Amino acid sequence: MLRIAVLASGRGSNLQALATAIADGHLPARIVGVFSDKPACGAIAFARAQGLPAVALAPRAYPERAAHDEALFSAVAAVQPDLIVCAGYMRIIGAAALERFEARMINVHPSLLPRYPGLDTHARALAAGDREHGASVHAVIPALDAGPLLSQVRIDVRPHDDAASLAQRLLPREHALLVATVGLIATGRLRLFPGHVEHDGQRLSSPLMLGADDRLTGA
Ligand code: GRF
């Protein structure tokens, strides 16, 4: 059983999607801890309500970023995760913490990376006149939203979309993407290595794509 630690700063809908898939028997994994920089966030409330181990450490209690990272990631290490899923964790993670968990950390990001790393992805896709938008799951490396891509899901941009409607339509597809991607990791078909990802033993050169049937396939 894949042991997953989830890092989140917000409402926690991706965490809930993972927890639901596990409860429904669709994902052979176990959430061994939920970690946050925001003690009052929805993800932590959900974790506590579910009886999942939850640790939230506010950065202001620490003199500097490295000290906060060290405290939070020591708590993560204590639950011995096979995989760390960043699901809306809104802090930049320092290199020391990333090294400790090299090739064991993924992030879900609401854009078709390499387009739009960082914030306000929906508004930026609209401002650029993109006809397609989407979400990506990638390995976490020190550069922001830039590690090797594992998987993506695409949605069409509609003529009257605004950032809110686009975000709302993308979110359920993002959840399906994360669940399917973690599923392939849990069954050993998708494997992370320092600097690259392998699918069924082959180095992945372009991300797997999520179909309407919620399955991931190669390009
Ligand atoms: C998601 O869109 C995620 O991709 C982004 O922040 C949002 C988090 O949503 N980075 P939630 O907290 O999982 O509901």
Side-chain angles (χ1 to χ4, degrees):
M1 205 62 116
L2 187 80
R3 297 172 61 84
I4 306 175
V6 177
L7 264 64
S9 306
R11 81 202 131 168
S13 68
N14 280 286
L15 165 66
Q16 292 191 40
L18 290 172
T20 302
I22 291 169
D24 291 349
H26 298 147
L27 182 58
R30 190 171 143 210
I31 298 173
V32 291
V34 177
F35 301 87
S36 185
D37 57 329
K38 294 264 191 298
C41 75
I44 287 293
F46 173 79
R48 297 227 158 99
Q50 299 290 309
L52 296 170
V55 176
L57 303 177
R60 64 172 179 280
Y62 297 85
E64 64 200 11
R65 173 184 305 283
H68 176 262
D69 263 9
E70 166 62 25
L72 194 69
F73 284 94
S74 291
V76 172
V79 300
Q80 299 181 297
D82 301 311
L83 180 72
I84 299 170
V85 177
C86 298
Y89 184 65
M90 300 306 280
R91 269 176 81 76
I92 291 178
I93 301 167
L98 294 178
E99 255 170 47
R100 190 165 174 179
F101 298 105
E102 189 173 26
R104 268 198 289 166
M105 204 183 294
I106 61 172
N107 180 46
V108 56
H109 180 77
S111 80
L112 293 171
L113 291 171
R115 291 176 83 80
Y116 319 125
L119 299 174
D120 299 325
T121 55
H122 314 298
R124 288 156 69 199
L126 287 171
D130 291 355
R131 309 276 295 274
E132 267 190 334
H133 187 45
S136 306
V137 174
H138 65 93
V140 179
I141 62 166
L144 184 69
D145 299 327
L149 290 169
L150 281 70
S151 59
Q152 292 187 322
V153 63
R154 298 172 181 273
I155 63 169
D156 288 335
V157 176
R158 295 179 185 163
H160 299 293
D161 267 328
D162 57 16
S165 68
L166 205 48
Q168 192 183 28
R169 219 165 57 252
L170 181 58
L171 193 64
R173 301 308 295 146
E174 181 178 323
H175 295 160
L177 178 71
L178 183 60
V179 168
T181 305
V182 173
L184 286 187
I185 295 172
T187 54
R189 295 189 58 194
L190 203 50
R191 294 183 66 192
L192 279 78
F193 295 88
H196 78 281
V197 176
E198 290 182 11
H199 177 235
D200 291 340
Q202 307 281 344
R203 196 186 179 106
L204 205 58
S205 54
S206 59
L208 301 176
M209 284 293 161
L210 191 78
D213 58 359
D214 288 352
R215 286 178 193 278
L216 285 166
T217 49

